[in-house]
Amino acid sequence: MSTRSRKSSRAAVAAGLGAVVALAGCASQEEAGVSSGGSTAGAEVASSEIDCSQFEQFGDVDGSEVEVYTTIVDPESQSFIDAFGPFEECTGISVNYNGSRQFEAQLPVRVNAGNAPDIAFLPQPGLLAQMVATGQVAEPAQAVVDNVDEYWSEDWKNYGTVDGTFYAPPLGANVKSFVWYSPSAFAEAGYEVPETWDDMLALSDQIVADHPDSKPWCAGIGSGEATGWPATDFLEDVVLHQQGPDVYDQWVAHEIPFNDPQIAESLAQAGGILKNPDYVNGGLGDVRSIASTEFQDAGLPILDGQCWMHRQASFYQANWPAGTDVSEDGDVFAFPTPVINEEVGSAIVGGGEFVAAFNDDPATQAVQYWLSTGDWANLKAQASQPGWFSANLELDPSNLQSPIDQLAVEQLQDPEATFRFDASDLMPAQVGADAEWQQLTDWIASDQSDQQTLDNIEAAWPQ
Amino acid sequence: MTASDVSQEVVTQATGKIDAPVTESWRSRRRQRRAEAAAERLSKPAASTIAIVIAVLWSIPTLGLFVTSFRTVEDIQSSGWWTAITNPLFSQYNYQAALVDSGLASNFVNSFVITLPAVLIPITLALLAAYAFAWIPFRGRNTLFVAVFALQIVPIQVTLVPLLTLYVDAGVAGSFWTVWLSHSMFALPLAIFLLHNFMKDVPPSLVEAARMDGAGHVTIFFKVLFPLLVPAIAAFGVFQFLWVWNDLLVALTFASNDATPLTAAVADLAGTRGNAWYLLSAGAFITMVVPLVVFISLQRFFVRGLLAGSVKG
């Protein structure tokens, strides 16, 4: 190519680019979806007054530094940092907040190398057991244990316990037993929120009959390398509601095999929705499109009226576009997964974090203590954007901004409701974070049979 | 013609005269014939067309990423980037959110602070070691060289925990030092091997002539070898720069909270539950810019560097 033609082609490219820029629209702030200024709640919380005398039991800890290592990154991390404000003011401890999404891979490396953080927020009990096995997790101070006994249900304390020793007080929570729907669309069509699973199926049939151009359900299980996890939540929800907490616990502990007939019954129950071509996949395609749709996008067709119900956790509220009214009579809201088995009644599958300490320095214990108090839960609730709550019984739901969070907390605080931790987080990683994801994806994507799916997962269980 | 090209020419001439004139000239003739044949084959219209098609196909994902990074949140979530051709609506908000709100700007600086020493340290050490292996005869030289060469096959993953333990025991964990040190360690075997190959290529007669004139090791290294090695150093520099800049594993393991480079920050950019994944295209582009500039401006060294490790002929 001669120099001249090279120059002229460059000029042509430049001219082309210029034309594109000139023709292109420039989005205004609003069009670009820029959220208008964050809440100022954080700053207020950071300067609020708490009772400083409660920290006297930890002695003089002024000037200490405590590293808190977590999975929670910006922007959700800001409210954690804010809620440490009054504590730092009281004690003189400075808390170094360190969040990383690679936490679960990095924590074992750091602990094995002797570089453990002072405090880690463990997102699942399985990781707690693994950390306790390294012998480096310190038992909490008695004051922390007292707080947990007082402010958390027995179910929650059990998940912070390894081999009969209590190690880690719970922190935040999320509730996975929710079905999202549009209250305004339901009201317009004259539909009632279903109370039982059978009602919900009847409602689905009703929708199929009334609205041939939409589908009653939409779902999506895509999530990068973790594709399949929303399907495991669906199955767990059904198992807990249909077979009850005892079978659920046996299933998690592998006292019954993964391909037990009871689990097969629940998978068939879940398949009655997820693999029913009449019910799915509103606005997204056929049954197979569930496997290829990212979970973040899967509920959005509800807003266009192409889909009516979407089973997903409380944290899905962050995925609704800015300006969506999430409330009991707004654009979208959620109802608790309906009762399947009267004997089981209402039950909640959920998740949460646990606060593990890797040393017993007074400053570390003071931080762990602060995180187990009702004061902290309420301050954190005030500082948080929608999407954070805790199972702490001291937490006042009115401190939460979002109606869905309030509903979730009411559920968690209901003494009648059984709480069970997400089963796939409790099972060995080869099953809960590998085989189960893959097999349930195949179950949907390549129409693998229920029995084959369960057999394959059972085969992956480490001996 | 640059200075190094001149010296290269000198070397070729010197080689032809003193070393082994017959084989060398035969070799160079064969090499030339082969290069001509290859050039002829590659300049055929069909070959050019295929090359252009491949180039276009390979660039489309990058173009898509680039277009996406300027689209609005809602557009990214609801339609593919190619729809921007018919419905152009662009904003710089993703970049603003990534650079300012998520603080990628400071990670950008961190990436430079990590990368530059992590390139300079191994090159400096490897030059000295390669010189010793190439031109200083000592007992066990070959054994030691093979040992260093063999270190290349040690996967860095197995070294992470022991290395971190050493750093913790030494009380340096979490600083920039550990990242620089780690990158240097991991780079040295390949660096020594590559630079040694280049140094060995310099005809011994040249070094011997310098020695006859009374030059010591230092003078030989700086006056004779160093000017000839500039392309090799640049080649390895590009290699190492790209490797360190794009590295995530070493940074995650050794860099402390306020020393995290771009790669680690981009990995966290989407937020705890991935809600802000629309920022990733902007984050990816911010990360890509520097390697792209480095690669494009130094690509001829890069290709030469790739060939240096392979069989000569």
Side-chain angles (χ1 to χ4, degrees):
Chain A
M1 203 187 249
S2 76
T3 319
R4 178 169 299 183
S5 71
R6 192 180 287 177
K7 258 185 197 160
S8 65
S9 70
R10 262 187 209 166
V13 169
L17 272 181
V20 168
V21 171
L23 285 172
C26 254
S28 66
Q29 280 239 318
E30 204 165 297
E31 282 172 318
V34 184
S35 51
S36 52
S39 83
T40 52
E44 284 165 27
V45 166
S47 60
S48 51
E49 302 264 325
I50 52 167
D51 176 17
C52 286
S53 64
Q54 57 184 320
F55 304 115
E56 279 165 11
Q57 53 182 312
F58 298 102
D60 183 19
V61 287
D62 194 6
S64 324
E65 287 193 20
V66 175
E67 188 199 358
V68 174
Y69 190 45
T70 85
T71 51
I72 300 153
V73 298
D74 193 55
E76 288 89 355
S77 56
Q78 191 55 45
S79 55
F80 279 92
I81 297 166
D82 291 336
F84 278 120
F87 169 79
E88 292 181 311
E89 195 80 0
C90 271
T91 57
I93 295 173
S94 61
V95 177
N96 299 330
Y97 186 94
N98 180 5
S100 168
R101 292 180 76 193
Q102 280 69 42
F103 173 91
E104 289 180 49
Q106 288 305 309
L107 185 67
V109 173
R110 289 188 57 178
V111 170
N112 288 332
N115 194 28
D118 298 310
I119 296 250
F121 296 172
L122 307 175
Q124 40 173 297
L127 190 58
L128 174 64
Q130 193 189 332
M131 290 298 110
V132 168
T134 65
Q136 299 208 33
V137 178
E139 286 183 46
Q142 188 55 41
V144 177
V145 182
D146 294 343
N147 272 348
V148 173
D149 285 336
E150 198 176 341
Y151 301 145
W152 266 275
S153 70
E154 196 64 32
D155 288 339
W156 277 93
K157 192 186 175 188
N158 283 340
Y159 287 120
T161 304
V162 178
D163 294 335
T165 311
F166 174 72
Y167 283 101
L171 189 77
N174 60 64
V175 170
K176 304 205 172 188
S177 298
F178 274 132
V179 179
W180 289 86
Y181 71 109
S182 168
S184 54
F186 266 44
E188 205 174 303
Y191 298 148
E192 298 274 328
V193 168
E195 297 280 333
T196 67
W197 193 273
D198 290 337
D199 287 354
M200 189 162 76
L201 294 181
L203 174 64
S204 305
D205 290 332
Q206 180 78 35
I207 292 170
V208 171
D210 293 352
H211 299 274
D213 51 345
S214 65
K215 294 273 175 76
W217 289 88
C218 43
I221 60 169
S223 181
E225 65 211 27
T227 292
W229 71 257
T232 71
D233 284 6
F234 207 119
L235 174 62
E236 287 152 10
D237 213 1
V238 176
V239 170
L240 181 59
H241 282 83
Q242 190 171 34
Q243 315 296 349
D246 293 338
V247 172
Y248 191 90
D249 291 342
Q250 291 164 5
W251 179 49
V252 166
H254 207 221
E255 286 161 13
I256 59 170
F258 206 108
N259 51 1
D260 189 88
Q262 298 171 94
I263 308 303
E265 185 193 0
S266 296
L267 186 63
Q269 185 91 3
I273 290 175
L274 285 178
K275 291 179 76 171
N276 183 339
D278 292 336
Y279 285 2
V280 293
N281 193 1
L284 297 166
D286 57 5
V287 171
R288 282 162 191 238
S289 68
I290 293 176
S292 55
T293 304
E294 290 294 308
F295 84 94
Q296 289 100 328
D297 300 336
L300 302 181
I302 290 180
L303 296 174
D304 313 332
Q306 291 178 299
C307 160
W308 293 78
M309 288 178 279
H310 175 62
R311 204 219 68 93
Q312 188 51 281
S314 55
F315 54 70
Y316 192 75
Q317 64 180 312
N319 294 94
W320 301 109
T324 309
D325 177 11
V326 182
S327 68
E328 204 159 351
D329 40 15
D331 301 331
V332 283
F333 201 57
F335 57 84
T337 307
V339 174
I340 300 177
N341 180 345
E342 285 298 335
E343 284 168 33
V344 178
S346 64
I348 307 160
V349 175
E353 306 96 37
F354 296 84
V355 182
F358 287 90
N359 57 55
D360 53 5
D361 294 348
T364 305
Q365 292 196 330
V367 173
Q368 202 179 20
Y369 168 82
W370 168 236
L371 293 170
S372 68
T373 59
D375 281 347
W376 178 81
N378 282 305
L379 281 179
K380 173 71 177 72
Q382 287 164 19
S384 299
Q385 300 289 323
W388 185 89
F389 50 87
S390 158
N392 191 319
L393 299 174
E394 284 283 282
L395 175 62
D396 178 359
S398 66
N399 281 329
L400 297 162
Q401 295 172 17
S402 149
I404 192 72
D405 294 343
Q406 292 173 350
L407 176 68
V409 168
E410 282 162 21
Q411 292 256 299
L412 287 171
Q413 294 184 348
D414 176 4
E416 297 291 306
T418 314
F419 175 84
R420 282 295 177 271
F421 209 91
D422 188 323
S424 56
D425 286 348
L426 299 171
M427 291 173 180
Q430 296 97 313
V431 179
D434 189 0
E436 197 182 352
W437 291 349
Q438 285 181 17
Q439 294 303 323
L440 287 179
T441 305
D442 284 350
W443 178 64
I444 284 168
S446 47
D447 201 19
Q448 184 171 273
S449 73
D450 292 3
Q451 197 56 47
Q452 184 67 44
T453 305
L454 295 176
D455 290 348
N456 288 352
I457 302 173
E458 172 61 22
W461 202 290
Q463 298 305 315
Chain B
M1 235 185 209
T2 63
S4 68
D5 285 348
V6 174
S7 44
Q8 201 90 56
E9 191 106 333
V10 171
V11 174
T12 322
Q13 282 171 5
T15 319
K17 270 177 210 149
I18 307 161
D19 215 27
V22 182
T23 27
E24 270 304 309
S25 64
W26 175 77
R27 258 197 198 173
S28 73
R29 264 210 310 277
R30 196 181 62 166
R31 202 182 292 175
Q32 203 177 350
R33 264 209 312 279
R34 230 200 281 167
E36 275 167 12
E40 202 174 309
R41 277 202 300 274
L42 282 176
S43 59
K44 278 183 181 148
S48 311
T49 317
I50 292 171
I52 290 170
V53 168
I54 290 175
V56 168
L57 281 180
W58 257 240
S59 321
I60 283 178
T62 316
L63 178 72
L65 192 70
F66 184 69
V67 173
T68 304
S69 70
F70 280 102
R71 300 181 76 212
T72 63
V73 180
E74 211 152 284
D75 284 356
I76 293 176
Q77 285 174 342
S78 60
S79 59
W81 61 271
W82 50 90
T83 51
I85 298 165
T86 52
N87 177 26
L89 180 70
F90 298 112
S91 85
Q92 83 300 349
Y93 170 68
N94 294 341
Y95 283 91
Q96 192 187 324
L99 275 173
V100 182
D101 303 345
S102 301
L104 280 196
S106 65
N107 300 107
F108 197 79
V109 176
N110 280 351
S111 270
F112 271 106
V113 174
I114 287 174
T115 308
L116 295 180
V119 173
L120 294 177
I121 296 172
I123 288 182
T124 313
L125 292 178
L127 273 173
L128 300 179
Y131 177 81
F133 279 128
W135 298 113
I136 304 178
F138 57 89
R139 261 173 64 103
R141 182 170 77 161
N142 290 336
T143 322
L144 196 58
F145 183 68
V146 170
V148 169
F149 179 60
L151 280 178
Q152 277 190 77
I153 61 162
V154 178
I156 67 171
Q157 287 83 350
V158 306
T159 67
L160 294 180
V161 171
L163 202 51
L164 187 58
T165 313
L166 285 176
Y167 291 148
V168 172
D169 292 347
V172 292
S175 57
F176 277 116
W177 282 106
T178 56
V179 189
W180 295 334
L181 273 176
S182 314
H183 277 304
S184 304
M185 288 178 209
F186 298 142
L188 274 175
L190 182 68
I192 294 172
F193 174 68
L194 273 183
L195 294 176
H196 170 266
N197 280 2
F198 276 103
M199 286 213 196
K200 261 292 180 204
D201 265 5
V202 175
S205 49
L206 210 64
V207 177
E208 277 153 20
R211 209 169 283 155
M212 291 293 281
D213 288 341
H217 285 308
V218 178
T219 319
I220 292 177
F221 179 78
F222 281 110
K223 291 269 169 65
V224 181
L225 290 173
F226 193 77
L228 294 175
L229 282 173
V230 170
I233 295 168
F236 180 75
V238 177
F239 252 139
Q240 178 68 359
F241 186 93
L242 294 178
W243 159 253
V244 175
W245 187 274
N246 291 328
D247 161 77
L248 177 64
L249 188 61
V250 173
L252 275 180
T253 314
F254 299 114
S256 65
N257 201 13
D258 41 6
T260 43
L262 268 178
T263 45
V266 168
D268 284 345
L269 191 61
T272 315
R273 293 197 179 89
N275 304 328
W277 59 270
Y278 54 86
L279 290 180
L280 290 177
S281 54
F285 238 90
I286 295 167
T287 320
M288 270 168 63
V289 164
V290 174
L292 269 183
V293 169
V294 168
F295 183 79
I296 290 172
S297 55
L298 297 173
Q299 59 166 323
R300 62 197 181 99
F301 295 119
F302 190 76
V303 174
R304 216 181 285 180
L306 283 176
L307 295 176
S310 63
V311 182
K312 306 242 170 68

